[in-house]
Amino acid sequence: MDPIKKALWCIESRFASELSLDEIAEVSGVSRFHLSRAFGVATGRSVMRYVRERRLSEAARQLADDAPHILHVALDRRYGSHEALTPALRQQF
């Protein structure tokens, strides 16, 4: 499996948890520099931007599916409060 596919697999399977560029690069079997460059070419965005967008997409899905509290969604997606999540959602969508 190529490094980009490994990186995507790593992100998709663990985007809800704490995730760093170093960890994703290690799983991919390449250096941070190589992963950053190759990922950008393949996807058009940085690795950590992709992680952030996946977290926001999942938060939006949960909210659309009538999540009980926006605060729980915000905290599950690594935002400190719903006040931090709301502008991030607005900016992306």
Side-chain angles (χ1 to χ4, degrees):
M1 186 181 303
D2 74 71
I4 303 306
K5 288 181 182 176
K6 287 180 184 178
L8 288 169
W9 173 83
C10 177
I11 293 166
E12 292 299 324
S13 63
R14 299 190 289 188
F15 69 85
S17 63
E18 192 67 34
L19 203 53
S20 69
L21 181 58
D22 288 329
E23 185 179 351
I24 298 167
E26 184 177 326
V27 169
S28 301
V30 295
S31 69
R32 290 173 45 142
F33 174 77
H34 180 76
L35 178 63
S36 296
R37 186 175 171 127
F39 197 91
V41 168
T43 66
R45 56 185 50 90
S46 73
V47 176
M48 296 315 291
R49 179 177 171 197
Y50 183 86
V51 171
R52 179 179 180 268
E53 288 175 354
R54 280 297 292 125
R55 287 178 178 158
L56 288 171
S57 295
E58 186 62 20
R61 187 194 61 75
Q62 285 181 319
L63 292 170
D65 290 344
D66 295 325
H69 299 289
I70 189 171
L71 179 59
H72 293 153
V73 173
L75 295 175
D76 286 347
R77 298 295 154 232
R78 305 280 176 202
Y79 286 87
S81 67
H82 72 281
E83 289 92 354
L85 176 63
T86 302
L89 286 168
R90 194 173 296 130
Q91 181 182 7
Q92 181 164 334
F93 299 107

